[in-house]
């Protein structure tokens, strides 16, 4: 679903939380509702915050190389 809409997984989750809150009449932002969980969610060992700059550069390089003909 996220690729069809051109959204990241995070954007899909934020949108879903917002829609659910709207249905329930919640007026707080997604950040306010999830603030208690910030920094404690387990990524299953993915180490999402380590070497972020290096991984981001690798992603950009792959995208660049995929656009190049040949």
């Amino acid at each position: 679903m996220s690729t069809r809409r051109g959204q990241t997984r995070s954007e899909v989750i934020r949108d879903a939380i917002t829609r659910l809150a709207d249905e329930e009449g919640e007026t707080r932002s997604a950040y306010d509702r999830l603030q208690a969980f910030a920094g404690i969610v387990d990524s299953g060992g993915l180490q999402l915050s380590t070497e972020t700059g290096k991984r981001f550069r690798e992603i950009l390089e792959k995208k660049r190389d995929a656009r190049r003909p040949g």
Side-chain angles (χ1 to χ4, degrees), residues 5-66:
R5 293 177 154 196
Q7 291 179 299
T8 65
R9 285 185 237 168
S10 296
E11 289 170 328
V12 170
I13 292 168
R14 281 192 297 270
D15 287 349
I17 291 168
T18 300
R19 280 194 302 272
L20 180 62
D22 289 344
E23 290 173 9
E24 295 182 3
E26 180 67 58
T27 57
R28 296 180 302 158
S29 71
Y31 173 79
D32 289 336
R33 291 189 305 275
L34 297 173
Q35 187 175 12
F37 301 104
I40 63 167
V41 176
D42 184 3
S43 67
L46 294 177
Q47 299 179 355
L48 299 174
S49 63
T50 59
E51 297 186 5
T52 305
K54 178 182 174 188
R55 290 194 347 243
F56 184 64
R57 184 183 73 245
E58 290 170 354
I59 290 168
L60 293 177
E61 288 172 349
K62 283 182 184 180
K63 285 183 178 184
R64 179 200 63 207
D65 294 344

